[in-house]
Amino acid sequence: MTDEPNLLGAYVRARRELVTPEQVGIPVLGVRRVPGLRREEVAMLAGISADYYLRLEQGRDRNPSAQVLESLARVLRLDEEATAYLLGLGSAAPRRRRRRARKETVPPGIVQLVAALPLPAYVEGRRFDVLAVNALATALSPRLTVGANRLRDTFLDPAEQALHPDWENAGAGMVAGFRRSVGADVDDLGVIELVGELSLASPRFSRLWARHDVAGCEGAAKHLDHPQVGRLRLNRERLGVAGAAGQTLVVHHPEPGSDSAEKLALLAATLQAT
């Protein structure tokens, strides 16, 4: 046994509890004492022994083959993103000690680009810290300032929650994206402290984190209820920053000629007037 975090075991256990017998074609007879699938049911469907699966969950075997992990992914109904995450956990190198949070520095050219863009834009780090931001993005959300953390604000700041009419789904997506972003790198003290803080302060974050959902934070349409200009529909684009692993340039833009484009122009005009 080892005192290292049992990431693989915790993940398959959490996902096992979210899959119902009906989803995998197992008839339900009588009262079931556990949520989701039983360990032996997962083992049977994955084609491995129940004892071996138990060792995986308990952390007594942390290096299963890719074939075993892919079989588990199929049984646990994982999508492509979640399967890649599971494979990453199975191949993660042993970690000997916790590391201090690594400082993330935005390339100077990207800082200049963000400032020059006529659209709301900011750079987000791997822990969802805001590393660079322009004035129009801050006008869109005052929480978008250098040094702020998007995950913390989403779950702890009522004003940020009010900005998002679909806050419930937005929060769930952000947690799943955060887990994908940090991956197995849980020895980073910045990650440890942030997850600990939010788990204590936000019951909803704690529940979502316990689900072990994994998803990419891809480009998508976002609806915002802005206190000055009203409802906005903006497209969000996320672009990796070359030469800065884990950093993402986030840009919001409206459909040309739309009502949201007019409102965003109005918001930009208020900045020029001040």
Side-chain angles (χ1 to χ4, degrees):
M1 296 293 288
T2 173
D3 58 358
E4 293 174 7
N6 180 21
L7 301 180
L8 176 61
Y11 184 64
V12 295
R13 181 172 59 252
R15 302 313 301 179
R16 169 173 65 82
E17 294 175 351
L18 295 174
V19 180
T20 66
E22 293 84 357
Q23 288 176 309
V24 294
I26 295 177
V28 177
L29 302 173
V31 177
R32 296 176 64 91
R33 297 180 179 179
V34 297
L37 298 178
R38 299 186 178 104
R39 292 190 182 97
E40 58 270 23
E41 291 170 339
V42 174
M44 176 190 67
L45 293 168
I48 59 178
S49 72
D51 178 67
Y52 182 59
Y53 178 77
L54 178 61
R55 294 204 306 272
L56 290 178
E57 274 206 6
Q58 292 180 340
R60 290 185 286 135
D61 190 319
R62 303 193 181 201
N63 298 107
S65 68
Q67 182 179 3
V68 167
L69 293 175
E70 288 169 353
S71 294
L72 289 174
R74 172 180 52 80
V75 174
L76 299 175
R77 303 173 68 84
L78 303 184
D79 61 16
E80 185 176 344
E81 289 279 0
T83 298
Y85 178 78
L86 175 62
L87 290 168
L89 293 181
S91 62
R95 302 180 184 281
R96 292 181 171 83
R97 62 185 179 86
R98 293 179 175 180
R99 296 180 288 101
R100 293 187 180 276
R102 294 174 296 185
K103 183 178 180 181
E104 297 180 289
T105 303
V106 183
I110 298 298
V111 175
Q112 294 171 8
L113 173 63
V114 168
L117 283 173
L119 297 165
Y122 61 96
V123 175
E124 185 177 83
R126 59 182 295 275
R127 294 183 297 269
F128 289 9
D129 296 319
V130 178
L131 306 177
V133 62
N134 63 18
L136 188 52
T138 303
L140 199 62
S141 169
R143 274 69 58 188
L144 280 172
T145 57
V146 173
N149 180 271
R150 300 293 297 139
L151 197 64
R152 180 184 290 112
D153 288 339
T154 296
F155 284 92
L156 301 187
D157 194 311
E160 183 67 19
Q161 294 167 12
L163 187 63
H164 300 273
D166 192 20
W167 174 75
E168 294 286 330
N169 287 332
M174 187 167 285
V175 172
F178 179 77
R179 187 176 284 281
R180 182 209 186 200
S181 179
V182 300
D185 199 13
V186 293
D187 58 339
D188 185 321
L189 281 176
V191 174
I192 294 169
E193 292 169 358
L194 180 60
V195 170
E197 174 192 355
L198 293 177
S199 295
L200 290 173
S202 171
R204 173 158 174 75
F205 173 85
S206 183
R207 289 193 298 271
L208 290 170
W209 187 249
R211 286 177 54 90
H212 288 251
D213 288 331
V214 179
C217 293
E218 310 300 342
K222 290 182 63 69
H223 293 86
L224 303 174
D225 279 332
H226 195 274
Q228 290 176 267
V229 297
R231 178 64 64 95
L232 290 165
R233 183 187 186 280
L234 301 175
N235 298 308
R236 181 191 64 197
E237 310 298 340
R238 300 177 60 86
L239 309 170
V241 176
Q247 293 184 22
T248 304
L249 172 62
V250 183
V251 181
H252 292 86
H253 63 98
E255 294 292 336
S258 66
D259 179 62
S260 292
E262 293 179 4
K263 291 179 179 179
L264 191 61
L266 177 62
L267 191 61
T270 63
L271 291 177
Q272 296 173 358
T274 58

